[in-house]
Amino acid sequence: ENQNLELQNGDVISIFENPDIKNTGRITLVGEVKFPGVYPFKRGERLSAIIDRAGGFTNQAYLMASKFFRKSVRKRQMKTREKYLEREKTELEMAQDAEAEQAKDKLQNLETVSEALDGLENIEIRGRITLDMSKISGLNSLIGHNSDLRLEDGDTFEIPARPMEVSVVGQVYSPITAL
């Protein structure tokens, strides 16, 4: 039949949402995959599927040092930090009022706590999720592993290159970096 129907006064047209378009997102792959970039995905897809689409890991991929970031986790972490800072600052104010009559050294300790809280307020929160990549040697070993997460829109996965040097630091006689 003719698909170009002429609309009449009072006709109703219903246009339904395409669930395949609605249930999509984007993940950013950074570092040691063959084709880094931003990849679209469908609802329910896992990290391994996108890494496969990106050509897999390069030979230089250092999976033990990889980092996974999620927007929803970042939001929760920020809310938790705000609640913590608010509670601690309230307690600090109460303690400063109570300690005003007492020793100056206690007041100095309270100032140190106040500075630490200010520092915490300025730390960047990225929403990192720690993945257990200790037994992952490549794409095939990631499939079905606990670290093969279902993706959410805005996820980022960073895979650094294997380091070419070793650093010895801390309480040692001669801190060095060797190749």
Side-chain angles (χ1 to χ4, degrees):
E1 283 188 43
N2 184 0
Q3 294 295 322
N4 293 324
L5 300 173
E6 188 174 321
L7 296 177
Q8 303 295 317
N9 190 17
D11 285 350
V12 175
I13 300 174
S14 297
I15 301 173
F16 297 99
E17 191 172 24
N18 182 340
D20 291 335
I21 293 173
K22 179 182 178 192
N23 296 321
T24 61
R26 294 186 181 279
I27 180 171
T28 303
L29 298 181
V30 179
E32 296 300 316
V33 290
K34 291 186 180 160
F35 302 103
V38 178
Y39 287 85
F41 63 85
K42 292 182 181 173
R43 184 177 187 194
E45 267 192 285
R46 294 191 173 269
L47 180 60
S48 60
I50 304 305
I51 292 170
D52 186 37
R53 210 179 307 158
F57 299 111
T58 68
N59 292 335
Q60 292 300 311
Y62 187 41
L63 299 176
M64 290 282 293
S66 63
K67 297 175 185 172
F68 189 90
F69 303 100
R70 178 162 281 169
K71 279 184 180 180
S72 62
V73 171
R74 180 178 185 267
K75 286 179 184 175
R76 279 197 311 272
Q77 289 172 343
M78 288 177 72
K79 275 186 179 178
T80 300
R81 177 180 68 180
E82 293 306 316
K83 287 179 184 176
Y84 172 77
L85 287 172
E86 186 178 311
R87 184 179 67 241
E88 291 301 312
K89 285 182 178 183
T90 302
E91 287 182 20
L92 183 63
E93 287 171 6
M94 290 175 13
Q96 284 175 332
D97 291 342
E99 300 291 330
E101 298 94 29
Q102 295 180 9
K104 281 189 173 183
D105 59 330
K106 287 187 177 182
L107 192 57
Q108 191 173 12
N109 287 340
L110 292 175
E111 288 173 6
T112 303
V113 170
S114 178
E115 289 172 10
L117 289 175
D118 289 342
L120 180 60
E121 198 167 22
N122 296 324
I123 292 175
E124 180 185 10
I125 293 180
R126 294 189 62 196
R128 183 172 180 183
I129 296 176
T130 303
L131 301 181
D132 177 17
M133 302 295 273
S134 60
K135 294 185 173 88
I136 306 298
S137 58
L139 180 59
N140 289 335
S141 56
L142 178 60
I143 297 170
H145 189 271
N146 288 343
S147 295
D148 192 11
L149 300 178
R150 277 199 179 95
L151 300 175
E152 291 182 12
D153 187 38
D155 287 350
T156 299
F157 188 49
E158 298 176 0
I159 309 100
R162 186 170 304 282
M164 301 301 288
E165 68 280 335
V166 174
S167 295
V168 179
V169 296
Q171 297 291 327
V172 296
Y173 287 113
S174 299
I176 63 165
T177 297
L179 296 177

